[in-house]
Amino acid sequence: MLASAVAMAARSVPYAVAKPAGKSFVAHASDLLPLKSTPINPDWIINGNPQARTAEHSRGHDEASLTAIWDCTAGEFRWYFGWDETVMILEGEVHITAEDGTERTLCAGDVAFFAGGTWASWRVDDYVRKVAFLRKPFPMPLAIAYRLRNLLRNGSNQGIAA
């Protein structure tokens, strides 16, 4: 019954979304954005005195996504990812240890994804600068409805009866 209601609601959502008010195109040279101090939570610092800075580049009209430039000096710390985050290292490198013990060194040009609600340890030997693409994860009931809607849309595009 609930699935039927969700399916009907999903079909009633229009495919085309109205153009949002505000900026629809934002471009900046990443090295010219003014970085502001964004101290790392002292309880998260494992070693050293890492100094982090952030510059917001853009924010989605629905406030559920954000693009920023972030840099950090030498140190080691744990980091909590409250949002899903995809990063691309622009300069320097960072040694990452994920919650499951996976270790990886990210260098300029590398891309990585961190799921919202997870922790990772970061060790910066000298300096790292990244671009971060952040997206708020959907609450689980909404995520299930969204996946169902996509399944129904994709299924109907392939000739599968829904």
Side-chain angles (χ1 to χ4, degrees):
M1 186 81 147
L2 178 61
S4 295
V6 170
M8 287 176 52
R11 287 184 178 163
S12 68
V13 175
Y15 283 96
V17 176
K19 181 181 172 191
K23 296 181 180 179
S24 61
F25 176 74
V26 178
H28 298 286
S30 66
D31 57 341
L32 297 180
L33 286 169
L35 293 160
K36 296 177 184 171
S37 177
T38 49
I40 296 168
N41 182 330
D43 295 337
W44 299 356
I45 296 175
I46 298 167
N47 191 18
N49 184 26
Q51 299 297 307
R53 301 179 305 167
T54 306
E56 184 174 312
H57 173 270
S58 54
R59 187 176 288 266
H61 296 288
D62 61 1
E63 299 290 320
S65 61
L66 170 73
T67 302
I69 302 296
W70 181 89
D71 74 355
C72 188
T73 60
E76 185 174 1
F77 50 92
R78 290 179 34 84
W79 191 264
Y80 179 74
F81 293 88
W83 295 23
D84 289 343
E85 183 172 335
T86 300
V87 303
M88 177 178 227
I89 305 301
L90 300 173
E91 182 180 345
E93 69 179 29
V94 58
H95 306 276
I96 304 289
T97 304
E99 284 182 311
D100 67 1
T102 302
E103 295 183 29
R104 178 75 193 262
T105 299
L106 301 176
C107 303
D110 289 342
V111 177
F113 171 78
F114 299 90
T118 63
W119 287 88
S121 293
W122 286 54
R123 190 185 86 227
V124 178
D125 292 335
D126 184 38
Y127 173 79
V128 67
R129 184 167 59 101
K130 69 179 184 179
V131 60
F133 305 97
L134 298 99
R135 185 186 64 82
K136 287 183 187 177
F138 289 134
M140 189 52 70
L142 187 56
I144 291 169
Y146 185 75
R147 288 180 187 136
L148 180 58
R149 183 204 66 178
N150 288 343
L151 178 65
L152 292 171
R153 283 185 177 171
N154 292 337
S156 64
N157 289 341
Q158 296 172 10
I160 299 172

